[in-house]
Every structure is written in C-alpha cells, then in structure tokens.
Amino acid sequence: MSEVGLPHSSEEAGESRGSNQRFPKRSTRSTGGYESVEHELKGIKYQSRTYAKLKTLMNRVNEESIKEEHRKQQQRKAVGIDGVSKAEYGEKFDENVADLIDRMKKFSYKPLPVRMAYIPKIGSDKLRPLGIPAYEDRLLQSAMAGVLNEICEERFLDCSYGFRPRRNAHQVLREINQTIMTRKVNYVLEADIKGFFDDVDHDWLMKFLENDIADKNFLRYVKRFLIAGVVNTCQSI
C-alpha cells in the first residue's frame, strides 16, 4: 500500500520558525500497519518542535490511520444519526474505508450532524449533553485529533493538564499539594468557564489553529466538523 511517509528533508515538512518560505510537497513511500501510524505521529511531534507552522498534515489521515481508529472503537458504543455500529461498518470494511478516503480526496465528504443525547451528571440529579457523531465522522475525527494532539503537546505549557493525553486530575492535585507545601502561597483561585464548549467562538478557534497549521485542507475539514450541526433527540442513555 502506498501512503505518504515522513519528509525526506526538513524543507518538505513545513515552515522553519522565523521563516515564511514555502516548500514543495513531500514524496511518498510504502508503509504499513500500527507501527506506520505511530511513526507518522512521531514525525508530526518532531515537526512541531522544529517549525512555527506545519504543512501537509491531511495526508496523515489515510487508510492506515482510519483502520487503526476503527480497531480502537468499542463494540457497543451508542450510534449517531447514521445508525451504523462498528460491527456493521466492519461488514464491508475495506470497501467502506476505500470509499471514505476517495470522498475525502475529492472533498465530497461532509460530516453528518451530531446526535445529541443526555447522560447523568456525576454528583448531580441533572443530565449533561453528549454528542454522538456518525461512525465515519468518529473515525475521521479521531485520526485528526491524533494529529492535533502531537502538534499541541509540544507547545502546551507543562503546568497545563486539562484534556491532555496521559494527564489527569490526580496529577493536578499532587502538583497543587506540592506547590502549597513547598512554596509561599497567599491564595488559591478556582474558576470554571460555564458552558465553554457550548459557546466557543468558531472563528477564533480557527484563528488559533491557523497560527500553528498551514495545511488548508486539514483546516477545511476541521471547519466542516464545526458547522456540521446537531440533532437533539432528547433521549437519555
């Protein structure tokens, strides 16, 4: 299988920090399987450390990464408005993935609206909304999220813990405890942004992404997901 691999030179990867020079497209080589996906992601991490802006990211979302995301999905997860489960998608798996990749390359792929359901909120008698994407959207979102994680992880401050891989609330508590016990602290401020994900400004979100990413095709699909819409089923799960 022929997929896009890592750049053969630093100039193919993106824009060097402090430079606005444009570089040619990268070449291709054969890769395969889980190790290939991991190799590609490590390459993105290296590029994020080296370049101010990253290019040619969309080709990281390929047949191999989509198949790897399918493998990771839980069997009994709630389905989106397409009604398609992992098992059903897997019945014609290779054919489905090939068709998905073909539609992506032609830019004819458009995400479906997210199905909104409601689940119990821990420590409260209220329900909280949960967005459930269509199955193909879930695969594509996961693959793109993997790319974004590798970019952002190299740029986040070490004191940042929220929604980051291999970081959790217990680590935050240990850090706070260590800080209070070993340093002079006058006060502790706790704040929460109410409904942040409900009200986040899409235009500003795209501006932040454009600050680090120069791949217009990758950004184009991010925007499509943002404007895909929601179908509120008023169902609890």
Side-chain angles (χ1 to χ4, degrees):
M1 186 192 313
S2 178
E3 296 289 353
V4 176
L6 295 179
H8 293 288
S9 68
S10 60
E11 291 187 347
E12 291 176 318
E15 297 179 355
S16 180
R17 294 188 182 275
S19 171
N20 292 321
Q21 185 178 359
R22 298 182 65 85
F23 299 110
K25 294 182 179 179
R26 304 179 319 179
S27 58
T28 60
R29 63 183 173 84
S30 295
T31 58
Y34 171 77
E35 291 183 357
S36 169
V37 175
E38 289 295 299
H39 183 65
E40 292 281 331
L41 292 177
K42 287 180 180 178
I44 295 171
K45 181 181 291 187
Y46 166 78
Q47 292 175 31
S48 186
R49 286 197 301 265
T50 309
Y51 304 107
K53 281 191 174 185
L54 278 71
K55 297 183 177 181
T56 58
L57 294 173
M58 199 62 213
N59 52 23
R60 311 284 185 160
V61 184
N62 50 39
E63 185 175 335
E64 291 171 351
S65 62
I66 294 296
K67 286 185 175 182
E68 177 60 21
E69 293 305 328
H70 172 79
R71 185 189 67 80
K72 293 178 182 177
Q73 297 299 315
Q74 299 177 14
Q75 286 286 355
R76 297 184 179 181
K77 243 181 177 179
V79 298
I81 64 170
D82 60 340
V84 177
S85 66
K86 178 178 181 178
E88 290 170 331
Y89 195 79
E91 290 176 1
K92 296 182 179 179
F93 184 50
D94 289 335
E95 181 180 330
N96 287 335
V97 172
D99 179 62
L100 172 59
I101 297 297
D102 182 61
R103 283 179 284 138
M104 285 174 56
K105 289 180 178 178
K106 295 177 179 177
F107 293 102
S108 62
Y109 177 83
K110 293 184 178 179
L112 295 174
V114 171
R115 179 170 78 88
M116 189 65 70
Y118 295 85
I119 61 175
K121 189 174 183 178
I122 298 176
S124 171
D125 58 354
K126 297 180 180 179
L127 298 175
R128 70 176 182 88
L130 176 68
I132 305 172
Y135 192 76
E136 283 190 332
D137 295 345
R138 182 180 295 166
L139 297 181
L140 184 53
Q141 285 178 13
S142 299
M144 293 180 69
V147 172
L148 288 171
N149 278 339
E150 295 304 324
I151 296 172
C152 296
E153 278 299 301
E154 294 300 313
R155 304 180 182 217
F156 283 150
L157 296 177
D158 191 53
C159 61
S160 172
Y161 286 85
F163 299 98
R164 294 182 63 181
R166 299 173 293 279
R167 295 200 174 203
N168 55 55
H170 297 292
Q171 293 172 321
V172 178
L173 293 175
R174 284 198 297 269
E175 181 69 22
I176 293 173
N177 180 67
Q178 181 70 13
T179 301
I180 293 175
M181 297 297 293
T182 61
R183 300 181 185 179
K184 184 178 179 180
V185 177
N186 295 321
Y187 60 88
V188 176
L189 176 64
E190 181 181 7
D192 182 30
I193 302 176
K194 184 178 180 180
F196 173 78
F197 293 107
D198 298 327
D199 302 312
V200 63
D201 189 299
H202 290 175
D203 291 335
W204 272 108
L205 178 59
M206 293 305 300
K207 287 179 182 179
F208 278 115
L209 290 176
E210 289 166 3
N211 185 67
D212 296 328
I213 297 173
D215 187 334
K216 294 186 181 298
N217 292 335
F218 190 92
L219 294 173
R220 184 176 180 179
Y221 272 113
V222 172
K223 183 67 174 180
R224 285 190 181 185
F225 278 115
L226 289 175
I227 63 175
V230 173
V231 173
N232 197 329
T233 61
C234 297
Q235 294 179 340
S236 299
I237 60 174

